[in-house]
Amino acid sequence: VTIPLAYRGILAGILLGFVRAVGEVWATIVVAGNIPGRTQTLPTALFSSVQLGDDTVALRLVSMSIGLAVITLLAHNWLLERAKTQKA
């Protein structure tokens, strides 16, 4: 009974948690490190490519990050609209 009532909040929490996790660079570097192919995340890969001066890889990673953020926001807005139409 509780999960069907709270599914919108759970989905919003998952989406917002994902977006926040993608934005965490420094905590990941400090805690997990930045080992390519093992503990490297999208933000740490972007940071490394900028530090190394590899602009093409950096631009590709920025595009991927922006794409993920836009997809997440669209999914969030779609879920909100769907919830509004189900209430009505």
Side-chain angles (χ1 to χ4, degrees):
V1 173
T2 304
I3 291 179
L5 293 174
Y7 83 94
R8 290 183 303 163
I10 292 170
L11 288 175
I14 289 170
L15 288 172
L16 292 173
F18 172 73
V19 171
R20 178 152 164 79
V22 168
E24 285 292 328
V25 176
W26 298 109
T28 304
I29 290 174
V30 170
V31 174
N34 188 17
I35 303 168
R38 186 164 175 163
T39 61
Q40 195 169 45
T41 61
L42 180 63
T44 58
L46 177 58
F47 176 76
S48 295
S49 64
V50 168
Q51 291 295 318
L52 294 173
D54 195 356
D55 292 339
T56 56
V57 172
L59 287 173
R60 209 172 318 139
L61 291 171
V62 165
S63 300
M64 191 183 317
S65 182
I66 290 171
L68 285 171
V70 167
I71 288 169
T72 303
L73 287 172
L74 290 173
H76 182 357
N77 286 337
W78 177 74
L79 289 170
L80 286 176
E81 288 298 320
R82 193 173 119 192
K84 285 180 186 177
T85 57
Q86 286 180 354
K87 276 188 173 182

